[in-house]
Coordinates of all heavy atoms in Angstrom, one line a residue:
L185 N 14.2 8.0 -2.0 CA 13.3 7.0 -1.5 C 13.8 5.6 -2.0 O 12.9 4.7 -2.3 CB 11.8 7.2 -1.9 CG 11.1 8.4 -1.4 CD1 9.7 8.5 -2.0 CD2 10.9 8.3 0.1
V186 N 15.1 5.4 -2.3 CA 15.6 4.3 -2.9 C 15.2 3.0 -2.1 O 14.7 2.0 -2.6 CB 17.1 4.3 -3.0 CG1 17.7 3.1 -3.6 CG2 17.5 5.5 -4.1
D187 N 15.5 3.1 -0.7 CA 15.2 1.9 0.1 C 13.6 1.7 0.2 O 13.2 0.6 0.2 CB 15.8 2.1 1.5 CG 15.3 3.3 2.2 OD1 15.0 4.4 1.5 OD2 15.2 3.4 3.4
Y188 N 12.9 2.8 0.4 CA 11.4 2.8 0.5 C 10.8 2.2 -0.8 O 10.0 1.3 -0.8 CB 10.9 4.1 0.7 CG 9.4 4.2 1.0 CD1 8.9 3.8 2.3 CD2 8.5 4.6 0.0 CE1 7.5 3.8 2.5 CE2 7.1 4.7 0.3 CZ 6.7 4.3 1.5 OH 5.4 4.3 1.8
C189 N 11.2 2.7 -2.0 CA 10.7 2.2 -3.2 C 11.1 0.7 -3.4 O 10.2 -0.1 -3.9 CB 11.3 3.0 -4.4 SG 10.6 4.6 -4.6
A190 N 12.3 0.3 -3.1 CA 12.6 -1.1 -3.2 C 11.7 -1.9 -2.3 O 11.3 -3.0 -2.8 CB 14.1 -1.3 -2.7
S191 N 11.4 -1.5 -1.1 CA 10.6 -2.3 -0.2 C 9.1 -2.4 -0.7 O 8.5 -3.4 -0.6 CB 10.6 -1.7 1.2 OG 9.9 -0.4 1.2
K192 N 8.6 -1.3 -1.3 CA 7.2 -1.3 -1.8 C 7.1 -2.0 -3.2 O 6.1 -2.7 -3.4 CB 6.7 0.2 -1.9 CG 6.6 0.9 -0.6 CD 5.7 0.2 0.3 CE 5.4 0.9 1.6 NZ 4.5 0.2 2.6
Y193 N 8.1 -1.9 -4.0 CA 8.1 -2.7 -5.3 C 8.1 -4.1 -4.9 O 7.4 -4.9 -5.6 CB 9.4 -2.4 -6.1 CG 9.2 -1.3 -7.2 CD1 9.3 0.0 -6.9 CD2 9.1 -1.7 -8.5 CE1 9.2 1.0 -7.9 CE2 9.0 -0.8 -9.5 CZ 9.1 0.6 -9.2 OH 8.9 1.5 -10.2
A194 N 8.8 -4.5 -3.9 CA 8.9 -5.9 -3.5 C 7.5 -6.4 -3.0 O 7.1 -7.6 -3.3 CB 9.9 -6.1 -2.4
V195 N 6.8 -5.6 -2.3 CA 5.5 -5.9 -1.8 C 4.5 -6.2 -3.0 O 3.7 -7.1 -3.0 CB 4.9 -4.9 -0.9 CG1 3.4 -5.1 -0.6 CG2 5.6 -4.9 0.4
V196 N 4.5 -5.2 -4.0 CA 3.7 -5.3 -5.2 C 4.0 -6.7 -5.9 O 3.1 -7.4 -6.3 CB 3.8 -4.1 -6.1 CG1 3.1 -4.4 -7.4 CG2 3.3 -2.9 -5.4
G197 N 5.3 -6.9 -6.1 CA 5.7 -8.2 -6.7 C 5.3 -9.4 -5.9 O 4.9 -10.4 -6.6
M198 N 5.5 -9.3 -4.7 CA 5.2 -10.5 -3.8 C 3.7 -10.8 -3.9 O 3.3 -12.0 -4.1 CB 5.4 -10.1 -2.3 CG 5.1 -11.2 -1.3 SD 4.9 -10.7 0.4 CE 3.5 -9.6 0.3
M199 N 2.8 -9.8 -3.9 CA 1.3 -10.1 -4.0 C 1.0 -10.6 -5.3 O 0.1 -11.5 -5.4 CB 0.6 -8.8 -3.6 CG 0.7 -8.4 -2.2 SD -0.1 -9.4 -1.0 CE -1.8 -8.9 -1.2
S200 N 1.6 -10.1 -6.3 CA 1.4 -10.5 -7.7 C 1.8 -12.1 -7.9 O 1.0 -12.8 -8.4 CB 2.1 -9.7 -8.8 OG 2.0 -10.2 -10.0
A201 N 2.9 -12.4 -7.4 CA 3.4 -13.8 -7.4 C 2.6 -14.7 -6.6 O 2.3 -15.8 -7.0 CB 4.9 -13.8 -7.0
L202 N 2.1 -14.2 -5.4 CA 1.3 -15.0 -4.5 C 0.0 -15.4 -5.2 O -0.6 -16.5 -5.1 CB 1.0 -14.3 -3.2 CG 0.2 -15.0 -2.1 CD1 0.7 -16.4 -1.8 CD2 -0.1 -14.2 -0.9
R203 N -0.6 -14.3 -5.9 CA -1.9 -14.6 -6.7 C -1.7 -15.7 -7.7 O -2.5 -16.6 -7.8 CB -2.3 -13.3 -7.4 CG -3.7 -13.4 -8.1 CD -3.9 -12.1 -8.8 NE -4.0 -11.0 -8.0 CZ -4.9 -10.7 -7.1 NH1 -6.0 -11.4 -7.1 NH2 -4.8 -9.6 -6.4
E204 N -0.5 -15.7 -8.4 CA -0.3 -16.7 -9.4 C -0.1 -18.1 -8.8 O -0.5 -19.1 -9.3 CB 1.0 -16.3 -10.2 CG 0.7 -15.2 -11.2 CD -0.5 -15.4 -12.1 OE1 -0.5 -16.4 -12.8 OE2 -1.5 -14.6 -11.9
E205 N 0.6 -18.1 -7.6 CA 0.8 -19.4 -6.9 C -0.5 -19.9 -6.4 O -0.7 -21.2 -6.5 CB 1.7 -19.2 -5.7 CG 2.2 -20.5 -5.1 CD 3.4 -20.3 -4.2 OE1 4.3 -19.7 -4.6 OE2 3.2 -20.8 -3.0
L206 N -1.4 -19.1 -5.9 CA -2.8 -19.6 -5.5 C -3.5 -20.1 -6.8 O -4.2 -21.1 -6.6 CB -3.6 -18.4 -4.9 CG -3.1 -18.0 -3.5 CD1 -3.7 -16.7 -3.0 CD2 -3.3 -19.1 -2.4
Y207 N -3.3 -19.4 -7.9 CA -4.0 -19.9 -9.1 C -3.5 -21.3 -9.5 O -4.2 -22.1 -9.9 CB -3.8 -18.9 -10.2 CG -4.1 -19.4 -11.6 CD1 -5.5 -19.5 -12.0 CD2 -3.1 -19.8 -12.5 CE1 -5.8 -20.0 -13.3 CE2 -3.4 -20.3 -13.8 CZ -4.7 -20.4 -14.1 OH -5.0 -20.9 -15.4
E208 N -2.2 -21.4 -9.5 CA -1.6 -22.6 -9.9 C -2.0 -23.8 -9.0 O -2.1 -25.0 -9.5 CB 0.0 -22.6 -9.9 CG 0.5 -21.6 -11.0 CD 0.4 -22.3 -12.4 OE1 0.2 -23.5 -12.5 OE2 0.6 -21.5 -13.4

Side-chain angles (χ1 to χ4, degrees):
L185 293 175
V186 175
D187 58 330
Y188 185 78
C189 286
S191 69
K192 294 300 185 177
Y193 264 83
V195 167
V196 173
M198 177 199 69
M199 293 291 282
S200 176
L202 179 59
R203 185 183 304 281
E204 288 308 298
E205 189 166 310
L206 290 170
Y207 166 76
E208 290 288 345

